[in-house]
Amino acid sequence: FDGTIRRSLVPMTMTAMNRTLCAYIYTALVLSALTHPATCFSIGGDGNAGSRREVLRKTASAIVGGATFVVIGAGSAAPALAKEEKATAVLRSAGCARGAGEACADLAEGNAFILKLQQKSQENAAQADADALAAYNNKNFPDFLASLSPPKYLVKQPDGKFVVYDDRELSQLKAAGKIRLERPLAKGGKIGYDLTQKPIMVEVE
């Protein structure tokens, strides 16, 4: 009973929907076997309970019950699957990074506040890139350059670019009052100083 019915009802599929539906059918068959153990497992005894005809009748009843669970399960699973397909469609699109990309409109769904945030992200993208580059330079190069022989020094220019000076060049700039120390800001100063970076030397005009 168990092996025959399962082989005929459970398709070899990998989709979540089919696995769910097959689980409903199999659960109905198990419930039927537990409810009528004599009918399902006693073939050939005396009386109608053990007759093959009764077994087939009970099996058909279990399949009909499983079909009822399948319809209910399919109805409840449909919205979840539709939502999952929508999310997958967004992920497979061109993407939305810092407010730019073909998927941005889909993600915003017409919400004015989200559209405004996406616009601000686009406007701040260039400054965010410059801040990220400055943070990378400040965290990785000053100590390395200072360890060289002769030592070198990383100095930030007024336009945000970086240059390297030797001892003599740096001494001349300091004597002329053109070097000052600056503490890097985090998020453009919105959340204070970036404590992960050391103070850096900045050349002033």
Side-chain angles (χ1 to χ4, degrees):
F1 166 77
D2 182 64
T4 303
I5 298 301
R6 286 177 61 190
R7 283 194 296 271
S8 62
L9 291 179
V10 181
M12 297 301 293
T13 175
M14 294 303 293
T15 63
M17 172 65 82
N18 285 336
R19 288 200 302 269
T20 302
L21 301 187
C22 292
Y24 279 126
I25 295 176
Y26 180 63
T27 301
L29 295 177
V30 173
L31 289 176
S32 177
L34 294 175
T35 306
H36 307 284
T39 300
C40 292
F41 300 107
S42 298
I43 299 179
D46 56 349
N48 292 331
S51 66
R52 294 177 181 274
R53 179 177 300 176
E54 189 65 13
V55 170
L56 294 176
R57 186 181 71 80
K58 292 297 183 180
T59 300
S61 176
I63 294 175
V64 171
T68 302
F69 285 121
V70 166
V71 172
I72 296 174
S76 61
L81 289 176
K83 184 178 181 180
E84 182 179 352
E85 290 175 357
K86 182 178 180 181
T88 302
V90 172
L91 291 175
R92 290 179 179 175
S93 64
C96 178
R98 300 191 294 186
E102 295 181 7
C104 290
D106 292 336
L107 292 172
E109 296 182 342
N111 187 294
F113 178 70
I114 296 179
L115 289 172
K116 184 178 180 180
L117 291 178
Q118 290 177 345
Q119 180 63 32
K120 290 181 65 176
S121 295
Q122 291 185 49
E123 296 171 355
N124 296 332
Q127 185 60 47
D129 287 340
D131 292 343
L133 178 60
Y136 179 83
N137 290 332
N138 295 337
K139 292 178 181 180
N140 291 278
F141 293 109
D143 291 339
F144 167 75
L145 293 172
S147 68
L148 297 178
S149 182
K152 304 289 183 181
Y153 304 94
L154 187 70
V155 178
K156 185 178 180 180
Q157 299 290 291
D159 59 1
K161 296 180 180 180
F162 289 85
V163 295
V164 175
Y165 292 128
D166 58 23
D167 272 322
R168 182 182 59 82
E169 294 170 329
L170 184 62
S171 297
Q172 291 177 349
L173 290 171
K174 286 182 176 181
K178 293 187 176 181
I179 296 294
R180 65 179 176 86
L181 287 179
E182 178 182 279
R183 295 181 64 185
L185 300 174
K187 299 293 184 181
K190 294 180 180 178
I191 56 176
Y193 295 107
D194 186 349
L195 301 180
T196 66
Q197 300 184 52
K198 298 179 180 179
I200 60 175
M201 292 185 288
V202 179
E203 184 175 350
V204 296
E205 296 178 345

